[in-house]
Amino acid sequence: MRWDFPYDSPSQITELLDRHGLAMSRRFGQNFLLSKEIRTRIVSALELDGTEHVWEIGPGIGNITSYLIDSKADITAFEIDRGFISILRDHAFKDVENFTLIEGDFLKTWESVLAEKGTPDVICGNLPYNVGSVIIGRLLEKQVLPKKMAFTLQKEVIGRITGESDTKNWSTLSILSQVDFEVKQLFTIKAGAFYPPPNVDSAVILYTRRDTPLVPDEKRELFFTIVHDLFSSRRKTMRNNLLHGSLASSLPKEKIIDRIEQSQFDPMTRGEVYSIAQLLELTDLFLD
Ligand code: SAM
């Protein structure tokens, strides 16, 4: 039997933390999601049937985790805070069979869990806002591609994930996300739904893996070399970024200039205007 704790009550949470001599830490981006309705909406969006292996990043004291556990899926949760770890391990989910706790910094622990247990079917979490985009970027760069991912994040980061080409939100994070996933902001969350309330607006993003990625495997490495070059200095032209980035370390500059001049691309355009389809055409120029 799992713990039945009133996760929607700030006073009970404070009392629990006091009893264990713990306090919330700003350093670890700790804002507990109180609203039961929102916690259940996040878990429902994952459409779990109980057969999945699920990673939860930053379970805190288990307010979303408890619903994940109820789904019967196999849950692996990654938590950095020693105090929360002891609550999860010794109290909340002590003898729960479908719950495994990985202690420490997710950014340092996830790769060994991946190597041991393989890619999870689902990843979720009310992410610590200070490292949320870093966590997502790392997973995507290493091509960890679960069927679904759902995260609570500040709206500004979700704007960058769902951004479109030729807007200020279009970034390497948008491209990394959209090559392999359809991304959709599900709903916004008012600050008052958290304890303590964050001073930024929040929302939930859903990633759904595409059947076929927008960039074929054999072009992926070159595609992302070009993307990183183009976004290394957003104010520079496409030509300048390509001549002074990683592409130029594997291809002679004359060849780069030649290929651009023979194409329909305007070398003086800034790279951030290109859609994924256009970036793929640009990649094709340098394939051999
Ligand atoms: N899941 C809880 C909820 O929804 O209320 C807590 C979410 S709180 C925004 C973020 C959680 O991530 C905290 O429990 C925090 O200690 C944990 N955390 C912060 N940085 C972390 C890291 N690098 N690795 C693992 N957990 C981390």
Side-chain angles (χ1 to χ4, degrees):
M1 267 294 283
R2 73 166 172 83
W3 211 29
D4 195 13
F5 182 80
Y7 286 113
D8 46 4
S9 160
S11 61
Q12 301 260 13
I13 292 173
T14 311
E15 196 270 325
L16 172 79
L17 298 181
D18 283 351
R19 198 157 16 101
H20 289 270
L22 306 174
M24 307 278 281
S25 146
R26 202 180 269 262
R27 182 160 72 98
F28 292 145
Q30 294 171 348
N31 301 92
F32 288 162
L33 197 41
L34 298 171
S35 164
K36 193 172 176 172
E37 189 218 324
I38 292 174
R39 287 182 281 127
T40 48
R41 276 175 81 185
I42 294 171
V43 176
S44 309
L46 300 172
E47 298 180 319
L48 301 174
D49 65 16
T51 61
E52 299 88 349
H53 178 206
V54 179
W55 282 8
E56 186 194 5
I57 304 167
I61 56 173
N63 54 355
I64 296 175
T65 326
S66 57
Y67 294 116
L68 295 172
I69 285 172
D70 286 348
S71 77
K72 305 273 187 288
D74 175 18
I75 314 301
T76 300
F78 299 77
E79 178 54 59
I80 198 169
D81 185 296
R82 282 167 187 253
F84 298 169
I85 287 170
S86 76
I87 290 180
L88 293 167
R89 195 188 44 212
D90 303 333
H91 303 277
F93 310 123
K94 191 164 185 259
D95 295 314
V96 173
E97 277 189 1
N98 59 333
F99 175 74
T100 305
L101 185 59
I102 307 294
E103 304 178 10
D105 183 346
F106 175 79
L107 291 168
K108 295 184 181 148
T109 54
W110 72 274
E111 284 182 279
S112 59
V113 178
L114 184 80
E116 194 186 322
K117 291 177 115 181
T119 302
D121 303 295
V122 169
I123 304 184
C124 64
N126 170 15
L127 292 184
Y129 287 180
N130 46 352
V131 287
S133 57
V134 177
I135 287 176
I136 295 176
R138 290 278 172 88
L139 291 168
L140 296 172
E141 267 167 14
K142 290 278 168 91
Q143 269 188 284
V144 176
L145 306 176
K147 277 196 277 273
K148 279 191 194 296
M149 303 198 281
F151 302 114
T152 305
L153 284 162
Q154 56 274 58
K155 267 175 79 178
E156 175 260 325
V157 173
I158 293 190
R160 284 199 280 128
I161 292 171
T162 56
E164 292 176 5
S165 55
D166 205 8
T167 67
K168 76 171 178 27
N169 272 334
W170 190 235
S171 57
T172 48
L173 186 61
S174 334
I175 298 169
L176 264 172
S177 298
Q178 295 176 31
V179 161
D180 293 298
F181 293 89
E182 287 182 37
V183 290
K184 187 174 170 206
Q185 177 177 307
L186 290 185
F187 51 86
T188 56
I189 309 179
K190 293 207 171 83
F194 296 92
Y195 173 72
N199 47 18
V200 291
D201 294 330
S202 305
V204 176
I205 176 102
L206 180 68
Y207 281 73
T208 307
R209 193 178 66 209
R210 296 182 187 281
D211 291 336
T212 311
L214 298 183
V215 176
D217 275 354
E218 67 277 12
K219 298 184 183 175
R220 192 176 176 104
E221 196 183 333
L222 183 59
F223 175 88
F224 278 110
T225 300
I226 288 173
V227 168
H228 285 296
D229 282 357
L230 292 183
F231 283 88
S232 65
S233 176
R234 294 181 73 119
R235 300 170 74 92
K236 280 195 195 161
T237 62
M238 175 264 266
R239 180 183 191 274
N240 261 349
N241 269 332
L242 291 185
L243 286 178
H244 299 100
S246 303
L247 182 68
S249 59
S250 59
L251 213 63
K253 290 193 177 175
E254 309 74 61
K255 213 169 193 176
I256 297 177
I257 295 170
D258 224 42
R259 301 267 169 108
I260 297 173
E261 280 176 357
Q262 283 169 27
S263 75
Q264 87 288 11
F265 285 97
D266 176 356
M268 303 319 276
T269 311
R270 284 189 286 169
E272 66 191 39
V273 305
Y274 300 132
S275 66
I276 290 176
Q278 290 169 320
L279 289 166
L280 202 50
E281 284 175 29
L282 190 60
T283 305
D284 286 341
L285 296 183
F286 306 106
L287 261 180
D288 52 80

Short mmCIF file of all heavy atoms in Angstrom, two decimals, residues 1-2 16 23 34 65 73 79 86 91 106-107 115 128 131 138 162 169 204 206 210 218-219 227 239 241 247 259 281:
data_model
loop_
_atom_site.label_atom_id
_atom_site.label_comp_id
_atom_site.label_asym_id
_atom_site.label_seq_id
_atom_site.Cartn_x
_atom_site.Cartn_y
_atom_site.Cartn_z
N MET A 1 0.85 -1.21 0.00
CA MET A 1 0.00 0.00 0.00
C MET A 1 0.87 1.25 0.00
O MET A 1 1.83 1.35 0.75
CB MET A 1 -0.85 0.02 1.29
CG MET A 1 -2.20 -0.62 1.14
SD MET A 1 -3.29 0.27 0.02
CE MET A 1 -3.81 1.64 1.05
N ARG A 2 0.53 2.16 -0.88
CA ARG A 2 1.31 3.39 -0.89
C ARG A 2 0.76 4.38 0.14
O ARG A 2 -0.34 4.25 0.65
CB ARG A 2 1.34 3.99 -2.28
CG ARG A 2 0.03 4.62 -2.71
CD ARG A 2 0.25 5.46 -3.93
NE ARG A 2 -1.01 5.93 -4.48
CZ ARG A 2 -1.64 6.98 -4.04
NH1 ARG A 2 -1.19 7.65 -2.99
NH2 ARG A 2 -2.77 7.36 -4.59
N LEU A 16 5.13 18.17 7.68
CA LEU A 16 5.93 16.97 7.38
C LEU A 16 7.42 17.33 7.30
O LEU A 16 8.28 16.65 7.88
CB LEU A 16 5.47 16.37 6.04
CG LEU A 16 6.34 15.23 5.50
CD1 LEU A 16 6.03 13.92 6.22
CD2 LEU A 16 6.16 15.05 3.99
N ALA A 23 13.74 21.61 4.80
CA ALA A 23 13.18 22.86 4.28
C ALA A 23 13.25 22.81 2.76
O ALA A 23 14.09 22.08 2.21
CB ALA A 23 13.96 24.05 4.80
N LEU A 34 0.58 21.58 -6.01
CA LEU A 34 -0.46 21.23 -5.04
C LEU A 34 -1.70 20.66 -5.72
O LEU A 34 -2.26 19.66 -5.29
CB LEU A 34 -0.89 22.48 -4.25
CG LEU A 34 0.17 23.18 -3.40
CD1 LEU A 34 -0.37 24.50 -2.88
CD2 LEU A 34 0.57 22.28 -2.24
N THR A 65 4.23 11.20 -8.37
CA THR A 65 4.67 9.80 -8.32
C THR A 65 3.55 8.87 -7.85
O THR A 65 3.40 7.75 -8.37
CB THR A 65 5.85 9.65 -7.31
OG1 THR A 65 6.62 10.83 -7.34
CG2 THR A 65 6.68 8.43 -7.61
N ALA A 73 2.45 0.99 -13.77
CA ALA A 73 3.66 1.03 -14.61
C ALA A 73 4.89 0.90 -13.70
O ALA A 73 4.79 1.07 -12.48
CB ALA A 73 3.70 2.34 -15.39
N GLU A 79 15.84 11.68 -7.84
CA GLU A 79 15.72 12.83 -6.93
C GLU A 79 17.08 13.18 -6.34
O GLU A 79 17.85 12.31 -5.95
CB GLU A 79 14.70 12.51 -5.82
CG GLU A 79 14.51 13.59 -4.77
CD GLU A 79 14.15 14.97 -5.31
OE1 GLU A 79 13.13 15.11 -6.00
OE2 GLU A 79 14.92 15.92 -5.05
N SER A 86 14.94 10.58 1.67
CA SER A 86 14.63 9.75 2.85
C SER A 86 13.12 9.62 3.04
O SER A 86 12.63 8.56 3.44
CB SER A 86 15.35 10.27 4.09
OG SER A 86 14.70 11.41 4.57
N HIS A 91 9.45 6.25 3.87
CA HIS A 91 8.05 6.44 4.26
C HIS A 91 7.10 6.26 3.08
O HIS A 91 6.31 5.32 3.05
CB HIS A 91 7.83 7.83 4.88
CG HIS A 91 8.71 8.06 6.07
ND1 HIS A 91 8.37 7.60 7.32
CD2 HIS A 91 9.91 8.67 6.18
CE1 HIS A 91 9.35 7.93 8.17
NE2 HIS A 91 10.28 8.56 7.50
N PHE A 106 20.16 14.03 -11.51
CA PHE A 106 19.72 13.34 -12.74
C PHE A 106 20.78 13.44 -13.83
O PHE A 106 21.05 12.46 -14.55
CB PHE A 106 18.39 13.94 -13.24
CG PHE A 106 17.93 13.36 -14.54
CD1 PHE A 106 17.31 12.13 -14.58
CD2 PHE A 106 18.15 14.03 -15.74
CE1 PHE A 106 16.91 11.56 -15.79
CE2 PHE A 106 17.75 13.48 -16.95
CZ PHE A 106 17.12 12.26 -16.97
N LEU A 107 21.39 14.63 -13.96
CA LEU A 107 22.35 14.85 -15.05
C LEU A 107 23.58 13.95 -14.92
O LEU A 107 24.29 13.73 -15.89
CB LEU A 107 22.78 16.32 -15.08
CG LEU A 107 21.67 17.28 -15.52
CD1 LEU A 107 22.06 18.73 -15.25
CD2 LEU A 107 21.32 17.08 -16.98
N ALA A 115 21.81 2.79 -19.65
CA ALA A 115 22.63 1.67 -20.10
C ALA A 115 22.13 0.35 -19.51
O ALA A 115 22.11 -0.69 -20.17
CB ALA A 115 24.08 1.91 -19.71
N PRO A 128 12.73 20.90 -12.22
CA PRO A 128 13.34 22.06 -11.56
C PRO A 128 13.64 23.10 -12.64
O PRO A 128 14.35 22.81 -13.60
CB PRO A 128 14.64 21.46 -10.97
CG PRO A 128 14.86 20.17 -11.68
CD PRO A 128 13.56 19.68 -12.18
N VAL A 131 17.20 23.93 -14.24
CA VAL A 131 17.92 23.01 -15.15
C VAL A 131 16.99 22.28 -16.13
O VAL A 131 17.43 21.37 -16.83
CB VAL A 131 18.77 21.95 -14.39
CG1 VAL A 131 20.00 22.56 -13.78
CG2 VAL A 131 17.97 21.20 -13.37
N ARG A 138 19.86 17.54 -23.04
CA ARG A 138 20.77 16.38 -22.92
C ARG A 138 20.11 15.11 -23.45
O ARG A 138 20.71 14.33 -24.19
CB ARG A 138 21.16 16.12 -21.47
CG ARG A 138 22.04 17.12 -20.85
CD ARG A 138 23.53 16.90 -21.19
NE ARG A 138 24.21 18.08 -20.66
CZ ARG A 138 24.66 18.17 -19.43
NH1 ARG A 138 24.61 17.14 -18.63
NH2 ARG A 138 25.22 19.28 -19.01
N THR A 162 8.29 24.87 -28.58
CA THR A 162 7.23 24.80 -29.61
C THR A 162 7.42 25.88 -30.68
O THR A 162 6.61 25.99 -31.59
CB THR A 162 5.83 25.00 -28.98
OG1 THR A 162 5.84 26.24 -28.27
CG2 THR A 162 5.47 23.88 -28.01
N ASN A 169 11.68 32.68 -30.90
CA ASN A 169 11.67 31.43 -30.13
C ASN A 169 12.38 30.27 -30.84
O ASN A 169 12.67 29.25 -30.23
CB ASN A 169 10.23 31.01 -29.83
CG ASN A 169 9.73 31.64 -28.55
OD1 ASN A 169 10.53 31.98 -27.68
ND2 ASN A 169 8.43 31.82 -28.45
N VAL A 204 2.32 23.02 -19.16
CA VAL A 204 2.71 21.61 -19.36
C VAL A 204 2.91 21.38 -20.85
O VAL A 204 2.08 21.78 -21.67
CB VAL A 204 1.62 20.66 -18.81
CG1 VAL A 204 1.98 19.22 -19.12
CG2 VAL A 204 1.45 20.86 -17.32
N LEU A 206 3.65 18.49 -23.87
CA LEU A 206 3.61 17.06 -24.19
C LEU A 206 4.43 16.80 -25.45
O LEU A 206 4.24 17.47 -26.47
CB LEU A 206 2.16 16.61 -24.44
CG LEU A 206 1.99 15.13 -24.78
CD1 LEU A 206 2.32 14.24 -23.58
CD2 LEU A 206 0.56 14.83 -25.26
N ARG A 210 7.46 11.01 -33.11
CA ARG A 210 7.01 10.84 -34.49
C ARG A 210 7.29 9.40 -34.94
O ARG A 210 8.28 8.80 -34.51
CB ARG A 210 7.79 11.76 -35.43
CG ARG A 210 7.58 13.23 -35.19
CD ARG A 210 8.37 14.04 -36.22
NE ARG A 210 8.33 15.46 -35.91
CZ ARG A 210 7.31 16.27 -36.18
NH1 ARG A 210 6.23 15.79 -36.79
NH2 ARG A 210 7.35 17.54 -35.86
N GLU A 218 21.00 8.95 -41.41
CA GLU A 218 22.30 9.12 -42.07
C GLU A 218 22.67 10.61 -42.26
O GLU A 218 23.83 10.93 -42.53
CB GLU A 218 22.35 8.35 -43.40
CG GLU A 218 21.44 8.85 -44.51
CD GLU A 218 19.99 8.34 -44.42
OE1 GLU A 218 19.60 7.78 -43.37
OE2 GLU A 218 19.24 8.53 -45.40
N LYS A 219 21.68 11.50 -42.11
CA LYS A 219 21.99 12.92 -42.29
C LYS A 219 22.05 13.66 -40.96
O LYS A 219 22.37 14.84 -40.90
CB LYS A 219 20.91 13.58 -43.16
CG LYS A 219 20.83 13.01 -44.56
CD LYS A 219 19.83 13.76 -45.41
CE LYS A 219 19.74 13.11 -46.79
NZ LYS A 219 18.70 13.72 -47.61
N VAL A 227 23.09 23.06 -37.81
CA VAL A 227 22.18 23.79 -36.92
C VAL A 227 22.98 24.49 -35.81
O VAL A 227 22.79 25.69 -35.55
CB VAL A 227 21.13 22.83 -36.31
CG1 VAL A 227 20.37 23.50 -35.16
CG2 VAL A 227 20.15 22.36 -37.39
N ARG A 239 26.25 32.36 -44.16
CA ARG A 239 27.58 32.13 -44.72
C ARG A 239 28.66 32.28 -43.65
O ARG A 239 29.53 31.42 -43.50
CB ARG A 239 27.80 33.14 -45.85
CG ARG A 239 29.13 33.05 -46.56
CD ARG A 239 29.17 34.17 -47.58
NE ARG A 239 30.29 34.05 -48.50
CZ ARG A 239 31.50 34.52 -48.26
NH1 ARG A 239 31.76 35.11 -47.12
NH2 ARG A 239 32.45 34.38 -49.16
N ASN A 241 28.44 32.14 -40.36
CA ASN A 241 28.38 31.10 -39.32
C ASN A 241 28.96 29.79 -39.83
O ASN A 241 29.69 29.10 -39.10
CB ASN A 241 26.94 30.91 -38.84
CG ASN A 241 26.61 31.80 -37.65
OD1 ASN A 241 27.49 32.16 -36.87
ND2 ASN A 241 25.36 32.16 -37.52
N LEU A 247 31.43 23.01 -39.17
CA LEU A 247 31.44 22.50 -40.55
C LEU A 247 32.78 22.80 -41.20
O LEU A 247 33.35 21.95 -41.90
CB LEU A 247 30.28 23.14 -41.35
CG LEU A 247 30.15 22.66 -42.79
CD1 LEU A 247 29.71 21.20 -42.85
CD2 LEU A 247 29.17 23.53 -43.59
N ARG A 259 29.60 25.63 -52.66
CA ARG A 259 28.31 24.92 -52.57
C ARG A 259 27.16 25.91 -52.30
O ARG A 259 26.08 25.77 -52.85
CB ARG A 259 28.35 23.88 -51.46
CG ARG A 259 29.42 22.82 -51.62
CD ARG A 259 28.90 21.60 -52.34
NE ARG A 259 29.99 20.73 -52.71
CZ ARG A 259 30.26 19.56 -52.13
NH1 ARG A 259 29.52 19.12 -51.15
NH2 ARG A 259 31.26 18.82 -52.55
N GLU A 281 17.59 20.70 -46.59
CA GLU A 281 18.10 21.00 -47.95
C GLU A 281 19.50 21.60 -47.87
O GLU A 281 20.37 21.27 -48.69
CB GLU A 281 17.17 22.00 -48.65
CG GLU A 281 15.88 21.38 -49.14
CD GLU A 281 14.94 22.44 -49.72
OE1 GLU A 281 15.41 23.47 -50.22
OE2 GLU A 281 13.72 22.22 -49.64
#
